[in-house]
Amino acid sequence: MLKTLKPRRFSHLGRLQFSSVPEISEQFDSLHTGEKKKFSFIISKVSEILSNPRMQWKTSRELESLSSKLRPRHVAKLVEIHENTEVALQFFYWVSKRHFYKHDMSCYVSMLNRLVFDKKFAPADHVRILMIKSCRNEEEMKWVIEYLSELSRKGLGFSLYSFNTLLIQLGKFDLVEAAKSAYQEIMSNGMEPSLLTFNTMINILCKKGRVQEAMLIMSHIYQRDLSPDVFTYTSLILGHCRNKDLDAAFMVFDRMVQDGIDPNAATYTTLINGLCTEERVDEALGMLEEMIEKGIEPTVYTYTVPVSSLCAVGREKEAVDLVVSMRKRGCEPNVQTYTALISGLSQSGHLEVAIGLYHNMIRKGLLPTIITFNVLINELCGARKVGNAFRIFRWMEAHGYVPNTITCNILIHGLCLIGNIERAMVLLTEMLKVGPAPTVITYNTLINGYLQRGFLNNAARLLDLMKNNGCKPDEWTYAELVSGFCKRGKLDSASALFQEMIKHGLSPNQVNYTALIDGLSKEGKVDDALALLKRMEESGCSPGIETYNAIINGLSKQNRLLEAERLCNKIAESGLLPNVITYSTLIDGLCRNGGTQLAFKIFHDMQRRNCTPNLYTYSSLIYGLCLEGQADKAEILLREMEKKGLAPDYVTYTSLIDGFVALGRLDHALSLLRQMVDKGCEPNYRTFGVLLKGLQQECQLISGEVAIQHETVYSSTACKKDVSFELLCTLLDRMSEIGCEPNAGTYCTLVLGLSREGKTAEADQLIKHMREKGFSPTSAVNCSLIVSYCKNLKMDAAMEIFDSLILQGFRPPLSIYQSLICALCRKSRLKEVEVLFENMLGKQWNGDEIVWTILIDGLLKERESELCMKLLHVMESKSCTISFQTYVILARELSKLDG
């Protein structure tokens, strides 16, 4: 990139040079010996050919052969050293027409310096125009402006043609102020501008919505006895559309027609796009019909925005029909049209059709843009088809596309959505190494990913890493962290983060306050939550309905229902309407505290207020009725709920099943399980726990050993009872008897639950039974077993499952490596620790995450500082990248052990 803008003179060359363009001698010096010889050979041979008066060099076969080896540095040097300026210029033009070659800025500088020194201003003007047109980005354009300004002071004045070219190019890069300066220079130096000059400047201003300034330029048109044309008026229409002032845009359109200027396709397209932007799609379609009736053929750009707008409002069929109509008129869709359709169809649930369109576009030879890829990757990630999204991502990279930050952020979000935070962190490593640079959105997504998996320490460390990398956290960063720490009961840490946010000059918003208020309420610290609500109001931040709902939830759980009711009245006074969550929270609080009758009064009241109960409302009432021994009434309520189109979930069914188990009606509870499965609602371990409790009670009744005590699914007793393998088999047999044949999911759910409770013996027996039935445990089940075995230090069994997973190509998460390494360490099997760690490093991981998870949260918590440092050295020897901030964190944790 050209950065240094100040020119300098080299007396030995006698021409103007710029320090930002490396001298050819400097370029030459930077080459290694072999490259220097090759460079010198090419320069020597081409110079010889160009200098031979007996040879027509343009038709030289030798030069033609050498031309494929020419690079800009060769051309710049040749232009600089050749004795004949005219020959140098002809060679400059000749080589630019080679299909494999493109001049860079050093070539233009060499050619212009030479022409200006020789005062050959006419060809210099032409080369200058080519230089302006060759600018590839804003930075290069800015550099060229400064360079050309210096040349103009050396005698190369601008022609109108070169000024107009400059204006057009400045408009391309939205350099409005630079364009205004160039325009003022035209107007002040006595040059007579053309209509193109005025139109270009008007268009530049109107693209930014600066219509008043554009109108001033239009007055200059009239002052020079010129007349605005269709481009002038269309630009003004565009300016008004950018300002969302469609009335003004149509006034310009009417004036244009009155002045006898016929609108063209661009005019109509601008108005149609303006209408679509304001969601006036039907009017836009009307204008499309009008232009066709007037014999003006719509272009692909005319159709694209209406197609996109129809998709955006759920009218995909009309969008497809419009594309069909478009093709019938001989107008083929372009990449933007396909992108609009792909986006619309994906969002409306037709992802497979959208993917088909993508492949169709490729077959037609249309190259997707980065926007097309981002749309498709986003929809695939949203549908949790992250593997497919990555295949498209890798295809992009293989075909020379450079993914942008949006692409990477979408993929990171998709990975976090499916719980694969490790791979998301690997993508962060790639971004930090080769780009694009991570943004606050990148870090926020990753922080949220850690929080969702309960890895609070890593989320906090990522905040430190983010700050250390120069990315400033925003309100959403802290909102995620505060909420995440609150959900895990870490209120002190959440409060500290809230205070840190204020300390860094960020004003807590409604989301930040609500996150902490919700956390305090859920932890039973309702008075603290009320105090924070008061502070929130005093700071000028208005609470939302979610804020009030959080406190109502806390008050209801503490049976402080009068206070909750007063808060509901306050909601109404503040102009907010209680929503379904407000009512359902109150209902749930009453049901949990023996107030089901009053809960039903609120239930009927919310319906009278046109607030439709949701699944949570009905589940709370069903729970309350079952708690009071009214399971039959609860089942009637379930049927009512289903009639209203609400599908019960596992919580609803489990409450009802528990209600009938508590009444000693196990058979009916099992029939509800059958209904549950038939309706596609998978039972969870808690559901099976309730049924196992019922089977235990049944056995106790038969044997007459123990009196039956009333319990509910939400009491911890059911889950803590000893579950024998025989009882599990009885449950599976009873399920078969009622036509609810246990499947792989049934076994996996039970094994996962048993593993979490550390009941590895029962889990082992069930795995064996499962295999006998022809089912295989999932990777999640195997990982759960590994963790359970590690807790019980059954390392041979843990390593056997681990090795089996590796052979199957499964990549265990870092948490599994942590469990194995720490357990092996406790068993003093240190050689295996080192082998396992080195094998782990052979796979793709984020270096910081390895240190955080394995070394800090693993070995240092086991107080194995010596082994921790040994493995750190292994990482460093394997060139595993670790950030400075992680070294700081590691040093801090080590110092705690030393203390």
Side-chain angles (χ1 to χ4, degrees), residues 652-761:
T652 322
Y653 275 114
T654 303
S655 294
L656 195 55
I657 288 168
D658 189 43
F660 282 103
V661 165
L663 294 174
R665 295 167 64 182
L666 181 59
D667 287 340
H668 193 74
L670 285 164
S671 71
L672 283 168
L673 176 72
R674 168 68 189 269
Q675 290 175 35
M676 178 181 184
V677 172
D678 287 347
K679 291 186 179 178
C681 181
E682 290 296 322
N684 67 355
Y685 188 61
R686 180 173 279 176
T687 316
F688 291 127
V690 169
L691 290 166
L692 288 166
K693 179 184 67 176
L695 287 168
Q696 277 184 326
Q697 290 173 348
E698 189 177 69
C699 292
Q700 289 166 356
L701 276 174
I702 292 168
S703 62
E705 290 177 1
V706 190
I708 302 168
Q709 293 188 359
H710 178 72
E711 297 173 36
T712 71
V713 68
Y714 295 103
S715 69
S716 59
T717 313
C719 296
K720 287 184 180 177
K721 280 184 177 292
D722 289 331
V723 178
S724 66
F725 177 64
E726 290 75 16
L727 195 63
L728 288 165
C729 289
T730 302
L731 172 63
L732 296 171
D733 289 341
R734 292 289 285 271
M735 287 176 68
S736 297
E737 287 169 12
I738 62 168
C740 186
E741 196 64 37
N743 56 21
T746 312
Y747 284 99
C748 287
T749 300
L750 286 166
V751 174
L752 277 168
L754 291 166
S755 298
R756 281 194 296 268
E757 292 177 357
K759 297 174 180 175
T760 52

Side-chain angles (χ1 to χ4, degrees), residues 27 59 93 242 376 380 404 407 415 470 493 537 543 564 589 604 638 658 690 699 707 712 721 727 772 784 789 797 808:
Q27 290 184 13
T59 57
Y93 287 144
R242 289 281 161 91
L376 201 53
L380 285 166
N404 60 18
T407 322
L415 288 167
S493 297
E537 291 169 326
H604 296 310
L638 178 80
D658 189 43
V690 169
C699 292
T712 71
K721 280 184 177 292
L727 195 63
E772 288 170 358
S784 182
Y789 284 138
Q808 293 168 29

